[in-house]
Amino acid sequence: MKSISPLFSVSTPKSPILIFTPISQRLSSVKFAASPQRKSPSSKSAKTLCTTLTVDPITTRTSTSTSTPPKKVLVPIGFGTEEMEAVILADVLRRAGAEVTVASVEQQLEVEASGGTRLVADTFISACSTQIYDLVALPGGMPGSARLRDCEVLKKITSRQAEEKRLYGAICAAPAVTLLPWGLLKRKQSTCHPAFMDKIPSFRAVKTSTQVSGELTTSRGPGTSFEFAVCLVDQLFGESVAKEIGELLLMNPADDDPKRQEFNEVGWSLDHTPQVLIPVANGSEEIEVVTLIDILRRAKVNVVVASVEKSAQVLASSGTKIVADKLIDATADSIYDLIILPGGTAGAERLHKSKVLKKLLKEQESAGRIFGAICSSPAVLQRQGLIKDKKATAHPAVINNLKDGVNDARVVIDGKLITSQGLATATQFALAIVSKLFGHARARSVAEGLVYQYPRS
């Protein structure tokens, strides 16, 4: 039994290093839009997109062709599933080359997660009952973990997985709320969210951020989701692939890189509940979208997610389907305290082409209100003439396109502009926004709920 140390280091037993098929071939086999076996009550909003998924050249790993079949992974979701955990699991495992199926345990494909994000599953759990998976990975959240627990089909799938010595895992509340009642923690050391640790027998409970015990891997919460996902990549594909994915996700900064730099410091505090707009498009980076929504809503910010497409549902860069709150046209006459652009190469380009968003951003800058971007989207702000003499950062692949790019910080604040590198830095980015709006105490409280180590200084 080996525990995974914090700070994303993976120390599971080394497995054979595999070579993978080209990404175009891998993506063609991923079940991004499986047809449901029965009609869904929300079939209108869960309607399959005809959009072709565009592989993001910035954040996609390079692969070498081989005839090795892809690893099959099941990620089940239900009402109240923790969205960061579900999306990070699916995204990271897909980047590594796995064929990931996100399956709904509900009577419809569209599921509202614990923070209010609306996700659309690839298929129903009933369609997965006869499939053999290399890994079954359960996200947490409440009441999501209880919804998973009460699903008999999922119980049979996961129990068979354990009996046949194939990999299975759970994070946050799911080890205690889902796996424990199923009898799948027996003779296993495990961890979970601190709020549920008292449910696990004390002689088997451990407080490591990620714990591997035979075929079972458990982890603590949204703040450990990247480590959990990369640990699973290590077990499926080997240490070298896990290391490559960690670097691709920007999880391993140099020790001397500050998490945050601030220039021309001004206060952001407001006398009302902050109103935040997050525009999304086909090709937006789902990790960044969902992390921003989840963390800002935890901090009691009013977040509006607006699609720049013709439909509220968008297909994100790694295949996650997200349903926005409204179309961008419905926001044209609204005033927001903060507008934040998520990244993703194709998504950023589509955000740039939105006339309504361009108008909103121009008004935001002219009125001296707060705005920002992450990953490839700071380049959008520059193209629109909105960052001029401001300091900013972006994904390492595009930062040289910025006039005053800051290379050695994960989050950069200059007055009322905030930018970040992307992917794994999205948590720091969102918490920096919370800190500027409400102060360090609120940010630290949110980080504690995430099981994320908030800097003391």
Side-chain angles (χ1 to χ4, degrees):
M1 298 177 186
K2 294 201 174 184
S3 62
I4 306 303
S5 61
L7 303 178
F8 308 114
S9 61
V10 180
S11 58
T12 53
K14 294 182 182 178
S15 54
I17 297 171
L18 304 177
I19 302 174
F20 306 100
T21 53
I23 187 130
S24 57
Q25 183 179 335
R26 294 203 318 269
L27 288 173
S28 68
S29 66
V30 174
K31 300 175 184 175
F32 290 151
S35 300
Q37 302 297 309
R38 58 187 182 278
K39 284 191 176 179
S40 158
S42 61
S43 57
K44 242 181 188 178
S45 59
K47 187 164 55 177
T48 301
L49 286 173
C50 295
T51 308
T52 301
L53 181 65
T54 303
V55 177
D56 194 325
I58 289 179
T59 61
T60 301
R61 65 182 291 266
T62 305
S63 305
T64 306
S65 181
T66 183
S67 58
T68 306
K71 300 287 187 180
K72 294 179 66 175
V73 177
L74 175 65
V75 178
I77 60 173
F79 294 136
T81 287
E82 215 301 315
E83 50 260 76
M84 281 178 64
E85 295 163 1
V87 169
I88 290 170
L89 271 171
D91 186 305
V92 173
L93 288 161
R94 281 171 175 161
R95 287 173 195 272
E99 179 184 307
V100 179
T101 299
V102 178
S104 170
V105 302
E106 308 296 347
Q107 295 298 309
Q108 61 251 41
L109 292 177
E110 184 180 318
V111 170
E112 184 171 320
S114 60
T117 307
R118 290 187 287 163
L119 304 173
V120 181
D122 303 319
T123 191
F124 293 101
I125 194 67
S126 56
C128 306
S129 60
T130 61
Q131 299 294 312
I132 302 297
Y133 293 98
D134 298 284
L135 167 68
V136 175
L138 311 186
M142 288 298 287
S145 296
R147 302 291 294 185
L148 300 189
R149 177 199 64 205
D150 296 340
C151 176
E152 284 299 318
V153 175
L154 179 60
K155 179 182 177 181
K156 289 177 183 177
I157 292 171
T158 313
S159 297
R160 185 174 69 233
Q161 193 80 3
E163 288 166 7
E164 297 177 0
K165 304 295 183 184
R166 292 192 301 273
L167 298 177
Y168 65 107
I171 186 171
C172 193
V177 175
T178 312
L179 295 184
L180 183 65
W182 289 350
L184 298 182
L185 295 186
K186 288 179 180 177
R187 296 183 293 279
K188 302 285 189 183
Q189 285 192 325
S190 57
T191 191
C192 68
H193 194 280
F196 295 89
M197 283 295 285
D198 61 346
K199 295 184 180 296
I200 297 177
S202 58
F203 59 91
R204 293 289 182 188
V206 291
K207 292 184 178 180
T208 49
S209 55
T210 299
Q211 179 72 26
V212 179
S213 184
E215 299 78 28
L216 171 66
T217 303
T218 51
S219 193
R220 307 207 82 188
T224 67
S225 293
F226 284 104
E227 179 182 344
F228 179 53
V230 171
C231 177
L232 294 171
V233 169
D234 184 301
Q235 294 173 77
L236 282 172
F237 299 117
E239 185 178 13
S240 66
V241 174
K243 182 180 179 182
E244 182 184 349
I245 292 297
E247 291 171 352
L248 189 69
L249 294 168
L250 306 179
M251 289 170 60
N252 304 305
D255 290 339
D256 57 351
D257 279 359
K259 286 185 170 65
R260 164 177 159 180
Q261 284 190 24
E262 186 162 3
F263 306 88
N264 303 310
E265 186 172 349
V266 296
W268 288 14
S269 58
L270 303 166
D271 60 0
H272 58 270
T273 300
Q275 309 294 308
V276 175
L277 175 67
I278 299 178
V280 295
N282 293 327
S284 286
E285 172 44 61
E286 51 259 75
I287 286 176
E288 295 160 3
V289 172
V290 169
T291 299
L292 282 164
I293 296 169
D294 191 352
I295 292 178
L296 293 179
R297 284 179 174 163
R298 284 171 181 262
K300 308 305 180 186
V301 170
N302 183 24
V303 177
V304 173
V305 183
S307 168
V308 302
E309 307 295 344
K310 292 180 180 178
S311 68
Q313 183 175 312
V314 300
L315 183 66
S317 61
S318 290
T320 300
K321 295 181 282 293
I322 300 171
V323 181
D325 302 318
K326 58 181 68 176
L327 300 183
I328 195 71
D329 289 353
T331 70
D333 298 323
S334 301
I335 293 176
Y336 295 93
D337 299 300
L338 172 62
I339 299 176
I340 292 290
L341 309 188
T345 304
E349 187 62 29
R350 296 182 76 83
L351 295 182
H352 175 62
K353 291 178 179 178
S354 169
K355 293 179 181 178
V356 174
L357 180 58
K358 189 174 292 188
K359 172 178 171 287
L360 286 169
L361 285 168
K362 185 177 180 180
E363 291 172 351
Q364 196 79 0
E365 193 262 349
S366 299
R369 294 190 294 269
I370 312 158
F371 60 100
I374 186 171
C375 194
S376 51
S377 284
V380 172
L381 299 181
Q382 176 154 294
R383 288 165 69 186
Q384 296 187 12
L386 299 175
I387 56 178
K388 297 171 186 167
D389 299 322
K390 298 277 190 180
K391 298 284 187 182
T393 192
H395 191 280
V398 300
I399 194 168
N400 289 336
N401 297 330
L402 301 183
K403 182 180 177 183
D404 288 310
V406 178
N407 285 287
D408 57 354
R410 291 160 78 75
V411 177
V412 173
I413 304 169
D414 190 340
K416 293 192 174 181
L417 169 70
I418 183 166
T419 52
S420 187
Q421 293 179 330
L423 299 166
T425 75
T427 303
Q428 296 159 20
F429 182 51
L431 288 171
I433 293 170
V434 173
S435 176
K436 288 293 293 182
L437 289 172
F438 301 107
H440 287 300
R442 177 81 63 93
R444 189 172 290 107
S445 175
V446 171
E448 184 178 334
L450 297 170
V451 198
Y452 180 83
Q453 189 172 1
Y454 188 77
R456 294 185 179 277
S457 58

